[in-house]
Amino acid sequence: MPPIHPTLHALQQRTLPKRSLHLIRLTAWLLVPITVVLAWAPLSPYLLIIRTWVLPMALGLCLLGGIGAWCLLRRWLLADASAIAPAKQWRRMVSMLEWALLLFCFTGCAIAASWQVWGFAQAKRSVLEHASESPNLNTLGRHFIISYRDFKEAAVLAERGAIAGIYLRSANVRDKSAFEIRSEIMALQRLRHRNGLPELIIAADQEGGAVEHMSPPLQSRPSLAELLIDLPTSLEDEMAGPTGAHKAAADALLAVYNYGHEQGRELRGLGVNLNLGPIADLSPSADTKVGFDTHTLLSKRALSASPYVVAQATSAYIDGLNSSGIQATLKHFPGLARVTTDTHHFTARLDTPSDWLQQSDWLPFQHSMPQAAATMLGHVIVQDLDPNAPASLSPKVVAMLRQDWGYQGLLMTDDINMGALYHRYGICESTVRALNAGVDLVLISYDSDQYYPAMDCALTAMARGELQLSQSPQTHARIARFFRPTAMATAEQEKTLLHAQL
């Protein structure tokens, strides 16, 4: 046997114990699935809470995995091949293959994660550096409502006309006073005014009850459903009931109107002009079981299982909001009461015939749509209308609402960060498909960073002729009609702000 090189001999003396080597091997393989997940979708909305750490984590895990792979390789290199029995030579080959697989996996994952993060950064740079005088940026900008984490960044987008509106999340108002929130909104609106741009839509999701993203600082309120106990469940019941029942029903609707008026007055004081409510979905039946329902929670949010009650209540609530200068959004068409999955995570399908939906789930929408400035389209596939696309991306659904129902308000997607779209289409394709379907507004609320790839893809698709914004002039007119700046209201807000400063 030839003598072992002195360096290798020294290394061999420091070979890890077999137990430690097994532990390193096990750790390396346990890190593989975590690293693959991080590399597969490092910028997923699901990872938003750790986004700033995703790339360092992916690279760190790759480094740890590389160390583990090196330990295996080292053992293979230092082994004395001549001392290994021929029957056990296959173990040597398995160790070599194991090392190669681990090294390939961790290196590939590091490259994949880094590439996606780089692409995301490039999309953001492309949008921010896009010529502000470009007609495409302003044309597309009127179709996006986004949340924000950085006020300065939101101000740049608002000033350049790259967005149509702002969505206020809990994170935007947490630990802030009403004065601070109103000050930020007014600053954005003044930037728009100085640059000759339309007033921003300022949207909030303040239903009351289970969903109150503006509380605090706004007052917390009970669900509207608690005010509807005395409302008859059908017109026949109301007509057949005693005289006192009519008075009870009128009192309930008046309470709903006052609820909307007071809530609208508070929202208006913050500078909000669009509320993402009321809920027009019916309450699900006891037989409807929604798996892994973490966010929809319709049983806690819906007003009633009766289409008549929901129609009357949504109408009275919208009147109350409007009386305070706040526009309303009906949601979530085509209704979620019969859906058995949470669209925040999974694809959802509605197999109920449209004739039946017309007589039940769609009645509140048809009744209250003329009063609502906007209607939110859910990520639900309506089998009868369009089996190939959810309502939020479906030209057939949009055509039905526009042509058959004659609806002239704004059509808005639910948040395109939601799993029903994100997992199936991705942000880019969801945006282009929604706009090509004729939707007016694309909502990007939970993960505002996704706006940049969405806008970048839209700009690219428009430049290639793959995006036809035939609805854009009508969208502009609808926004101007429903969210026309009110000089008196603006002056009053500035006066209030000045007094608060003094």
Side-chain angles (χ1 to χ4, degrees):
M1 182 181 71
I4 299 176
H5 190 278
T7 303
L8 286 180
H9 180 74
L11 286 172
Q12 193 171 19
Q13 301 307 309
R14 296 194 296 271
T15 301
L16 289 169
K18 186 173 293 187
R19 180 177 298 179
S20 299
L21 192 65
H22 288 328
L23 181 60
I24 290 174
R25 176 185 284 115
L26 177 62
T27 302
W29 283 111
L30 287 176
L31 290 175
V32 167
I34 301 174
T35 310
V36 169
V37 169
L38 291 177
W40 181 263
L43 299 164
S44 166
Y46 281 89
L47 301 178
L48 175 62
I49 194 170
I50 59 169
R51 173 156 302 158
T52 56
W53 297 100
V54 165
L55 186 57
M57 286 172 61
L59 296 177
L61 289 174
C62 291
L63 178 62
L64 289 175
I67 292 173
W70 164 246
C71 289
L72 296 175
L73 175 63
R74 183 182 172 202
R75 180 177 175 82
W76 172 71
L77 287 173
L78 298 180
D80 187 353
S82 62
I84 300 176
K88 297 183 178 180
Q89 286 287 350
W90 64 273
R91 292 185 181 179
R92 182 181 176 87
M93 297 304 298
V94 168
S95 295
M96 180 179 178
L97 179 61
E98 184 179 30
W99 167 78
L101 285 174
L102 284 171
L103 191 62
F104 175 80
C105 174
F106 286 111
T107 303
C109 287
I111 293 172
S114 301
W115 177 259
Q116 291 183 69
V117 171
W118 180 83
F120 199 91
Q122 287 297 105
K124 181 174 181 178
R125 183 179 304 165
S126 175
V127 171
L128 292 176
E129 294 179 358
H130 197 84
S132 57
E133 65 274 10
S134 167
N136 287 357
L137 183 67
N138 291 145
T139 299
L140 283 166
R142 70 180 58 156
H143 295 283
F144 285 90
I145 293 183
I146 68 169
S147 62
Y148 66 90
R149 288 188 289 168
D150 183 347
F151 175 77
K152 292 181 179 179
E153 200 169 288
V156 169
L157 297 175
E159 186 176 23
R160 301 182 68 207
I163 53 175
I166 291 292
Y167 169 85
L168 294 178
R169 296 178 57 225
S170 301
N172 299 126
V173 301
R174 189 181 300 121
D175 301 325
K176 292 182 181 177
S177 66
F179 170 81
E180 291 173 312
I181 299 167
R182 184 169 63 244
S183 179
E184 284 190 0
I185 299 306
M186 286 181 60
L188 294 175
Q189 296 292 24
R190 290 174 71 85
L191 282 174
R192 299 284 285 195
H193 178 71
R194 288 173 183 172
N195 286 275
L197 295 168
E199 180 181 11
L200 281 173
I201 298 172
I202 308 297
D205 201 353
Q206 189 75 353
E207 297 172 13
V211 176
E212 292 186 311
H213 295 320
M214 304 297 287
S215 299
L218 297 188
Q219 175 184 344
S220 182
R221 296 177 182 275
S223 169
L224 273 174
E226 297 183 21
L227 306 178
L228 305 175
I229 298 174
D230 295 326
L231 200 61
T233 57
S234 68
L235 180 61
E236 290 77 11
D237 289 344
E238 184 173 351
M239 298 301 293
T243 305
H246 296 282
K247 177 65 165 59
D251 287 345
L253 291 177
L254 181 59
V256 170
Y257 173 90
N258 289 333
Y259 183 110
H261 177 80
E262 289 302 313
Q263 195 176 65
R265 184 181 59 80
E266 291 181 339
L267 290 170
R268 188 70 187 177
L270 296 180
V272 173
N273 51 29
L274 177 68
N275 192 25
L276 301 188
I279 285 274
D281 309 90
L282 302 183
S283 295
S285 68
D287 298 330
T288 303
K289 304 298 182 185
V290 182
F292 197 60
D293 186 5
T294 61
H295 289 77
T296 300
L297 304 173
L298 203 58
S299 59
K300 297 180 179 180
R301 297 166 62 195
L303 305 184
S304 173
S306 163
Y308 178 76
V309 171
V310 177
Q312 297 295 309
T314 53
S315 181
Y317 175 77
I318 292 173
D319 281 343
L321 281 181
N322 291 345
S323 70
S324 297
I326 299 294
Q327 299 294 338
T329 305
L330 283 172
K331 61 183 185 184
H332 314 77
F333 188 84
L336 304 177
R338 304 173 193 274
V339 173
T340 56
T341 54
D342 185 347
T343 54
H344 290 81
H345 309 295
F346 309 109
T347 300
R349 186 175 296 271
L350 194 55
D351 295 321
T352 308
S354 56
D355 290 345
W356 181 255
L357 292 171
Q358 196 90 32
Q359 301 171 34
S360 55
D361 299 55
W362 292 353
L363 280 177
F365 289 97
Q366 287 183 302
H367 182 269
S368 300
M369 269 186 178
Q371 302 165 260
T375 296
M376 180 179 287
L377 301 178
H379 307 317
V380 182
I381 297 172
V382 185
Q383 185 67 30
D384 256 13
L385 298 181
D386 190 345
N388 300 314
S392 52
L393 309 183
S394 172
K396 295 179 181 178
V397 171
V398 171
M400 183 192 78
L401 295 177
R402 293 293 189 212
Q403 298 168 19
D404 299 344
W405 290 23
Y407 180 60
Q408 293 306 311
L410 292 159
L411 292 176
M412 174 194 306
T413 70
D414 206 342
D415 186 4
I416 63 171
N417 285 299
M418 291 164 63
L421 294 192
Y422 189 85
H423 297 319
R424 183 175 181 183
Y425 304 101
I427 288 294
C428 289
E429 186 179 348
S430 296
T431 300
V432 174
R433 286 177 65 122
L435 294 175
N436 271 332
V439 171
D440 296 296
L441 298 170
V442 173
L443 177 64
I444 304 177
S445 60
Y446 173 68
D447 182 0
S448 57
D449 291 342
Q450 300 295 339
Y451 161 78
Y452 294 105
M455 174 58 90
D456 188 49
C457 287
L459 286 167
T460 301
M462 199 169 184
R464 292 176 178 172
E466 299 169 358
L467 178 56
Q468 307 297 326
L469 289 175
S470 56
Q471 78 277 23
S472 202
Q474 291 85 356
T475 298
H476 190 66
R478 291 178 186 118
I479 292 175
R481 180 168 70 251
F482 289 112
F483 303 98
R484 187 176 292 109
T486 305
M488 185 178 300
T490 303
E492 186 63 29
Q493 283 186 344
E494 292 188 354
K495 182 179 178 181
T496 303
L497 187 60
L498 180 61
H499 282 309
Q501 290 173 326
L502 296 175

